[in-house]
C-alpha cells in the first residue's frame, strides 16, 4: 500500500514511414505534409507540397494510397501524437490508439501495413522500423534541423536523449520532444517501459525481478536492440534506470 508503481524506460521504437513510389528512392516529408497525406488532403504524389520538399525527385502523377491500423495500437497513438505536436494547424484530431482521420485503407498490425506498402504502388503507411524490410523504402523526416532525418535506431536514440523525465519520485516516465531541432534526432519514436513496484515486492520473487530488469538495462541487454530494429536508451537515461532497479525492495 505504501509503494509506487514506477516506469522504467527500456527501449525505443522508431516509427518508420514506409512508401512505394516507383522511381523515387529518396523522399523527404515534413509533419504538415504527412498530416495532409494521412488526412486525405493531398491525393497524388506530384502534389506541389511534396515537390517543394523534393525538388530533384521525379514524382509521378500517381494516386496516394495512405493506410492506417485497423486495430488499436500504441504505434498509431505515437504517430498521431507527433502529427498533433508538430503540425497542430493541419492535424486537428485528439489522437489515441484508434485511428480517427477519414479515408485511406486499413490493415491489422504493423506487418499488415508493411505488406500493403510493399504490394501497392503509391502506398504510404507507418509502422515500427523493424517491419521496414524486404526493400521497403522509408521517408526522411524534415525537422527544424538543417537536413531531413533518416529513420534509424541511432537517430531515434538521439531524439529520446532530448526527452524530459516527468515522473515523480523514482518514476522515470519521459516526455518526448516531437519537434527536435538537433541534427540527426528522428522525431517519430515510441518508448517501451517496464513497470515495477519501488518497494514492497515479494521477497521470494524480488531477486528474479531485479535480475531480469538489470539484464535488460545492462550493456549486453541494450546491445541486442539495434539488431532487432529497436533503439537503446541514451546513456543518461539508462544509467538512471540501473540505479533505480538496484534500489527496488
Amino acid at each position: 500500500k505504501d509503494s509506487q508503481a514506477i516506469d522504467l524506460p527500456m527501449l525505443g521504437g522508431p516509427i518508420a514511414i514506409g512508401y512505394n513510389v516507383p522511381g523515387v528512392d529518396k523522399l523527404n516529408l515534413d509533419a504538415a505534409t504527412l498530416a495532409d497525406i494521412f488526412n486525405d488532403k493531398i491525393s497524388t504524389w506530384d502534389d506541389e507540397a511534396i515537390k517543394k520538399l523534393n525538388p530533384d525527385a521525379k514524382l509521378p502523377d500517381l494516386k496516394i494510397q495512405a493506410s492506417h491500423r485497423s486495430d488499436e495500437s500504441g504505434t498509431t497513438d505515437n504517430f498521431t501524437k507527433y502529427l498533433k505536436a508538430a503540425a497542430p494547424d493541419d492535424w486537428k484530431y485528439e489522437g489515441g490508439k484508434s485511428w480517427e482521420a477519414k479515408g485511406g485503407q486499413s490493415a491489422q498490425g504493423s506487418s499488415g501495413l508493411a505488406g500493403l506498402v510493399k504490394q501497392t504502388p503509391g502506398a504510404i503507411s507507418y509502422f515500427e522500423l523493424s517491419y521496414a524490410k524486404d526493400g521497403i523504402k522509408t521517408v526522411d523526416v524534415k525537422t527544424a534541423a538543417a537536413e531531413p532525418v533518416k529513420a534509424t535506431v541511432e537517430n531515434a536514440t538521439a531524439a529520446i536523449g532530448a526527452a524530459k523525465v516527468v515522473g515523480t519520485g523514482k518514476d522515470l516516465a519521459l516526455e518526448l520532444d516531437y519537434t527536435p531541432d538537433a541534427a540527426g534526432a528522428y522525431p517519430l519514436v515510441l518508448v517501451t517501459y517496464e513497470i515495477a513496484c519501488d518497494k514492497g515486492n515479494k521477497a521470494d520473487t524480488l531477486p528474479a525481478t531485479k535480475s531480469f530488469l538489470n539484464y535488460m538495462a545492462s550493456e549486453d541487454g541494450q546491445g541486442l536492440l539495434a539488431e532487432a530494429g529497436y533503439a537503446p536508451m541514451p546513456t543518461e537515461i539508462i544509467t538512471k534506470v540501473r540505479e533505480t532497479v538496484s534500489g527496488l525492495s
Side-chain angles (χ1 to χ4, degrees), residues 22-42:
V24 179
D25 295 326
K26 179 178 173 57
L27 184 67
N28 303 323
L29 295 174
D30 59 14
T33 308
L34 282 167
D36 283 348
I37 286 173
F38 281 92
N39 200 23
D40 211 20
K41 290 184 178 180
I42 293 178

Side-chain angles (χ1 to χ4, degrees), residues 82 85-87 143-144 177-181 187:
Y82 160 74
T143 65
D177 181 2
Y178 291 108
T179 58
D181 55 12

Side-chain angles (χ1 to χ4, degrees), residues 148-216:
V149 186
K150 293 186 178 299
T152 67
V153 293
E154 295 82 7
N155 292 344
T157 297
I160 296 169
K164 297 178 181 178
V165 177
V166 294
T168 58
K170 296 179 181 178
D171 186 84
L172 298 177
L174 302 175
E175 181 178 87
L176 295 169
D177 181 2
Y178 291 108
T179 58
D181 55 12
Y186 185 74
L188 270 161
V189 294
L190 57 83
V191 174
T192 294
Y193 297 89
E194 297 299 319
I195 300 176
C197 293
D198 66 339
K199 58 184 178 181
N201 291 281
K202 294 181 179 179
D204 57 342
T205 56
L206 181 59
T209 299
K210 292 178 73 171
S211 177
F212 170 68
L213 295 172
N214 274 321
Y215 175 72
M216 292 184 71

Side-chain angles (χ1 to χ4, degrees), residues 2 10 50 58 75 97 101 144 182 229 239:
D2 297 328
M10 284 294 186
I50 302 176
K58 295 182 179 179
T75 311
K97 292 184 177 182
T239 298

